Amino acid sequence: MKLAGSASRLVVRYFDPHCQQAGPWSRPGWNGWSMDEEFRLNHYVPQWYQKRFLLAGQSKLFFRDLSPTVYRDAKRRERSANEVRQRGPASCFAERDLYTRFLGQSLSVEIERSFFHGIDSKGKGAVEAVANYSVGNLLGPTFSDFMDYLGTQKLRTPKGLAWVRQQAGPRADRNGILGLMVKNRAMYHAVWSECIWQIADASRSSVKFIVSDHPVTVYNRHCGPSSSFCRGVNDPDVVLSATHTLFPLGLEKLLILTNLTWARNPYQNPLGARPNRALTRTGLFKATDVQTERYLDDREVLEINFILRARAMRYVAAANPAWLFPEREVSKSEWRNLGGGLLLMPDPRSIHMGGTTYAVYEDGRSTASDEYGRPPWHPDFEKRGSSIDEGVALYRFKGEFARIFGPERRGRQTWGPLAEPARDSDELHAYHLEEELRNKKLMKGVRKWD
């Protein structure tokens, strides 16, 4: 994946875990003080976002260090620092001078003071709007504000910045990396807007979501924690067909973004590219297609927390210390088969074929694109996303899903005051079951990627 722009010289060191100390972004021997001192402690996970994970009456989170510092005591015996401590949001997920730019003997805190202040101010309300989804509250500026926050949050963390540096090359300096982070914050917007959106709900579970030091989390069931796709600061690419993007919206809500081609056809190569993998383009979001009312049980929340913890760089936090150790209940060997392999999948019974959109502007200009963002002059315009006919695969998957989960919908769409039924009629359920058999025969000989 290529970043826009370029960065120049000086190798960078990363990331001091103790926010009270000067981080390794700082120049050696820098002891300067300025009126901008308040902007030099940089929260890469905003305090307002952390507070969304507190229980009523709580003021501190339980903060877990996945790699506690090892030190020697007075008798020269090796000891580890406490793995879990209670901390307020002001002391969690922060690093001194993470976003400070050093210009000769002066420094600039404009990225923290101006850029992130604007992103976070608008993002706070946008995250709340998504968590309390309705069609009306995801239109216009709110959607734009949310996408701007989501894209920025993915790149602003220590893990995200280390990934940016890796893409930029060994000659990249810290000022250039920060510039690339700002410039490329919208790089995933088109792909994400063309995903199936599902807002999962943990209100019926006794276990709630944790927050990590890399909240915009990527999961691909065919890329386990030890795979080359997940080595170091890497994540599976969002354009791989089977990649999901997870973003906890708070204690009880989780946004799951699933590539449309995978939601329609989970029988294809999970490591193949989605149709139209181009990033720097306009995407189209349909607010009426968001799935809600997917209620998670304890096991499902544990499995999601296991993913969040596995893809964190070093820190996770939660309102309850027991939630910080999902690996006690879930193992890496289950990675491919979490939730029976369907943990993050939206309900395909709400998904349809087609999706080409035409628009005419007031000045007479017009535009069109298919569901994968391709204009009419694109050679693959309205071409389905794999060698297997997507319609055949989708109707097979609808039947398979109905057979596994029964007639109850596992998430449904809401169209203004209307909503899909929470339960299919006996006739519709029987139809879905018949479609699995019929379309399975049409796909005879096609390898299923288990």
Side-chain angles (χ1 to χ4, degrees):
M1 183 176 295
K2 189 175 182 181
L3 294 177
S6 61
S8 57
R9 271 196 92 241
L10 249 175
V11 175
V12 202
R13 294 176 296 142
Y14 294 81
F15 291 103
D16 192 319
H18 304 291
C19 64
Q20 294 87 354
Q21 299 178 11
W25 279 105
S26 302
R27 291 282 181 86
W30 180 270
N31 294 307
W33 181 272
S34 73
M35 296 295 287
D36 295 322
E37 190 67 23
E38 63 178 298
F39 299 107
R40 294 182 64 185
L41 180 59
N42 307 135
H43 284 81
Y44 49 88
V45 179
Q47 294 183 62
W48 60 262
Y49 177 75
Q50 296 180 48
K51 291 175 182 178
R52 298 184 64 85
F53 295 83
L54 292 168
L55 292 166
Q58 272 188 325
S59 60
K60 292 184 178 181
L61 290 163
F62 290 90
F63 191 71
R64 180 185 177 190
D65 186 344
L66 302 174
S67 300
T69 302
V70 176
Y71 64 95
R72 292 187 181 276
D73 63 16
K75 295 183 179 180
R76 306 296 294 169
R77 294 174 298 190
E78 284 194 352
R79 303 286 187 184
S80 293
N82 291 335
E83 186 175 357
V84 177
R85 288 171 286 179
Q86 275 193 289
R87 286 185 176 183
S91 300
C92 295
F93 306 115
E95 185 174 313
R96 184 171 169 81
D97 287 330
L98 184 61
Y99 307 129
T100 303
R101 298 177 68 210
F102 292 93
L103 310 171
Q105 292 302 307
S106 63
L107 59 82
S108 170
V109 296
E110 285 307 299
I111 290 179
E112 174 71 22
R113 177 166 54 193
S114 300
F115 175 69
F116 282 122
H117 175 74
I119 294 289
D120 290 338
S121 295
K122 295 178 180 179
K124 182 178 181 181
V127 169
E128 178 70 17
V130 175
N132 296 288
Y133 164 80
S134 70
V135 173
N137 68 9
L138 259 189
L139 300 177
T142 300
F143 178 74
S144 297
D145 292 342
F146 179 75
M147 295 300 284
D148 209 18
Y149 175 77
L150 195 68
T152 305
Q153 180 63 76
K154 190 174 192 310
L155 298 182
R156 75 192 286 184
T157 65
K159 183 177 179 179
L161 287 168
W163 180 84
V164 171
R165 177 192 181 275
Q166 182 176 277
Q167 305 308 304
R171 293 176 62 85
D173 71 4
R174 61 179 316 289
N175 292 344
I177 290 167
L178 290 171
L180 284 172
M181 179 268 293
V182 172
K183 186 172 185 177
N184 287 279
R185 67 188 187 277
M187 65 188 297
Y188 303 112
H189 287 193
V191 172
W192 283 339
S193 66
E194 291 162 4
C195 285
I196 298 296
W197 287 41
Q198 183 182 68
I199 299 172
D201 191 314
S203 61
R204 298 179 184 177
S205 167
S206 63
V207 183
K208 308 301 180 184
F209 296 120
I210 65 175
V211 56
S212 82
D213 59 8
H214 195 61
V216 183
T217 300
V218 173
Y219 168 84
N220 188 307
R221 65 186 293 260
H222 291 264
C223 304
S226 59
S227 75
S228 59
F229 291 91
C230 299
R231 194 167 295 153
V233 296
N234 291 319
D235 281 320
D237 201 318
V238 297
V239 302
L240 296 180
S241 61
T243 295
H244 305 265
T245 301
L246 293 73
F247 179 63
L249 297 162
L251 201 63
E252 295 185 335
K253 296 288 182 70
L254 172 80
L255 176 64
I256 305 170
L257 306 179
T258 303
N259 281 323
L260 175 61
T261 187
W262 187 248
R264 285 176 172 176
N265 177 17
Y267 311 104
Q268 64 181 295
N269 182 356
L271 302 181
R274 73 183 294 279
N276 194 9
R277 60 181 299 165
L279 298 178
T280 54
R281 57 185 175 81
T282 301
L284 188 67
F285 173 70
K286 191 176 180 183
T288 56
D289 283 355
V290 177
Q291 291 190 16
T292 59
E293 298 187 41
R294 159 84 188 280
Y295 294 101
L296 304 169
D297 59 29
D298 285 13
R299 179 67 186 186
E300 290 172 318
V301 178
L302 277 170
E303 291 177 341
I304 289 166
N305 284 344
F306 180 78
I307 294 171
L308 299 175
R309 176 214 169 276
R311 304 310 305 138
M313 187 168 186
R314 181 163 181 176
Y315 302 108
V316 290
N320 184 324
W323 303 341
L324 295 173
F325 296 88
E327 68 273 18
R328 292 172 178 171
E329 304 290 337
V330 185
S331 72
K332 289 182 180 180
S333 63
E334 300 175 74
W335 188 264
R336 291 166 63 95
N337 295 305
L338 295 174
L342 298 172
L343 175 65
L344 303 179
M345 291 297 280
D347 194 317
R349 291 168 288 186
S350 295
I351 298 172
H352 53 80
M353 295 302 295
T356 298
T357 302
Y358 299 88
V360 178
Y361 300 100
E362 291 181 353
D363 62 3
R365 292 181 300 114
S366 62
T367 186
S369 65
D370 66 14
E371 64 267 47
Y372 294 114
R374 298 170 297 202
W377 55 87
H378 192 285
D380 292 330
F381 178 67
E382 294 188 336
K383 179 180 177 182
R384 299 312 170 209
S386 67
S387 57
I388 305 168
D389 182 82
E390 276 193 345
V392 172
L394 174 60
Y395 279 90
R396 174 184 171 178
F397 187 40
K398 288 185 179 189
E400 182 180 340
F401 213 82
R403 173 171 51 81
I404 293 171
F405 297 106
E408 298 289 335
R409 290 293 180 99
R410 199 172 77 150
R412 57 179 179 154
Q413 296 174 359
T414 302
W415 306 318
L418 303 175
E420 292 180 311
R423 188 182 193 279
D424 287 344
S425 65
D426 292 343
E427 293 78 12
L428 183 57
H429 182 58
Y431 168 76
H432 285 315
L433 297 179
E434 291 170 2
E435 284 294 286
E436 179 188 17
L437 297 175
R438 187 176 75 85
N439 289 285
K440 191 173 183 178
K441 291 178 181 177
L442 294 175
M443 293 174 62
K444 186 177 180 180
V446 174
R447 175 186 176 186
K448 182 178 179 181
W449 291 79
D450 293 322

